[in-house]
Amino acid sequence: QKEVEQNSGPLSVPEGAIASLNCTYSDRGSQSFFWYRQYSGKSPELIMFIYSNGDKEDGRFTAQLNKASQYVSLLIRDSQPSDSATYLCAVYSGAGSYQLTFGKGTKLSVIP
Amino acid sequence: DTAVSQTPKYLVTQMGNDKSIKCEQNLGHDTMYWYKQDSKKFLKIMFSYNNKELIINETVPNRFSPKSPDKAHLNLHINSLELGDSAVYFCASSQDRANLYEQYFGPGTRLTVT
C-alpha cells in the first residue's frame, strides 16, 4: 500500500525564519510530488510541484526532491504569519493510477 | 465566479438517514473527484470520474454512490448514514486525468452525523 508520511506538527517558527517541512513516501516508482496548503476551515490549494531530483524555487518557496532517499521537502523562506496553515504532501505514482496519495499534513505556525 | 462549488456547506443529520452532496465545476475540466477528510486532516480519495466515467473507486462502503450526470457535475449520495461518516467531503476537478496534479478543490461540505 502506497504511503506518504509527514510529521503532523505543529511546527512553530518565528516570523522571518525558514520553515522546513518534510515528507517521505513508500512507493519508489513515484513520479511527481506536490505540496498543497490548507488554511483552517478552507480547501487545499496547490502551491508547488516537482518532478526531478534537486530543487525547484518559486518565490519564497523551494521544493526539494531526493528520489534515492524517497523524501521531498518544502522550504519557506522569510516565513510570515500568513503562511500559518497545514501543508499537505501529495504523491503521484504514475502507472495509470490517476490519483494522488496525500500525507496527513504538517501544521505550521509562524509566530509574529 | 466560483470554480468548484458544493452544496450544502454544512449538513447535520441523524444516523440512518440518506443524504446527498452536490458538486459543480465551471472550469471545463474533464475529471472530478470526491475526497473525505477526517478529523485528523487525512485527505483520502474516494471516487474519480473522467468525462462521466468512473475511473477510481477506492475501498468505500457501498452506501456511498457517486453520480455524474454530465462532466461538470459529480454528486455523492450516502445511504444509511453512520457516525463514522462524519467528516469534511471535498469535491475537486482537474483538466483531465493526466493533469491530475493541479486539482481545484471546492469549499468542502462538513457532514455531522448524530
Side-chain angles (χ1 to χ4, degrees):
Chain A
Q1 184 173 352
K2 304 182 181 72
E3 292 184 349
V4 178
E5 301 283 345
Q6 293 182 257
N7 188 326
S8 62
L11 173 66
S12 295
V13 299
E15 184 175 354
I18 296 175
S20 177
L21 305 161
N22 299 314
C23 169
T24 60
Y25 58 94
S26 63
D27 183 1
R28 185 169 288 278
S30 296
Q31 299 181 359
S32 314
F33 308 86
F34 311 93
W35 286 99
Y36 280 77
R37 177 176 62 199
Q38 186 175 23
Y39 291 113
S40 180
K42 301 295 184 182
S43 54
E45 57 176 333
L46 179 69
I47 55 171
M48 288 284 289
F49 61 89
I50 186 167
Y51 301 142
S52 305
N53 271 339
D55 295 0
K56 180 181 178 183
E57 189 173 315
D58 184 1
R60 295 185 297 111
F61 298 93
T62 299
Q64 298 176 320
L65 174 61
N66 184 321
K67 286 190 174 181
S69 300
Q70 294 178 238
Y71 84 78
V72 57
S73 61
L74 179 70
L75 301 178
I76 307 175
R77 289 182 301 281
D78 189 23
S79 295
Q80 301 296 308
S82 59
D83 295 325
S84 297
T86 296
Y87 289 81
L88 304 172
C89 174
V91 175
Y92 174 56
S93 63
S97 70
Y98 299 120
Q99 66 184 70
L100 298 179
T101 301
F102 283 84
K104 293 187 179 182
T106 297
K107 186 172 183 178
L108 172 66
S109 180
V110 181
I111 312 299
Chain B
D1 283 346
T2 303
V4 182
S5 59
Q6 294 177 232
T7 54
K9 189 169 175 61
Y10 299 96
L11 185 53
V12 181
T13 188
Q14 292 184 328
M15 286 175 55
N17 285 348
D18 303 338
K19 291 293 179 185
S20 292
I21 307 172
K22 295 186 176 182
C23 178
E24 177 182 0
Q25 54 94 4
N26 63 7
L27 298 166
H29 287 171
D30 284 348
T31 308
M32 297 184 72
Y33 311 82
W34 275 113
Y35 287 91
K36 177 181 180 181
Q37 188 170 46
D38 60 26
S39 58
K40 295 184 179 179
K41 299 292 188 184
F42 189 31
L43 193 64
K44 188 167 172 58
I45 183 78
M46 300 174 68
F47 302 102
S48 175
Y49 272 72
N50 186 67
N51 236 335
K52 301 194 299 176
E53 178 189 353
L54 180 66
I55 57 171
I56 295 172
N57 185 357
E58 287 297 292
T59 306
V60 175
N62 57 15
R63 298 182 294 103
F64 290 78
S65 53
K67 282 190 173 51
S68 182
D70 54 62
K71 74 174 192 176
H73 296 84
L74 179 60
N75 304 323
L76 183 65
H77 187 76
I78 316 171
N79 289 326
S80 303
L81 278 154
E82 299 178 358
L83 292 177
D85 297 332
S86 296
V88 180
Y89 291 83
F90 285 103
C91 175
S93 72
S94 65
Q95 183 177 342
D96 50 51
R97 61 183 183 178
N99 291 296
L100 57 83
Y101 53 85
E102 186 151 22
Q103 296 187 18
Y104 293 82
F105 284 79
T109 296
R110 183 174 293 277
L111 171 65
T112 303
V113 182
T114 61

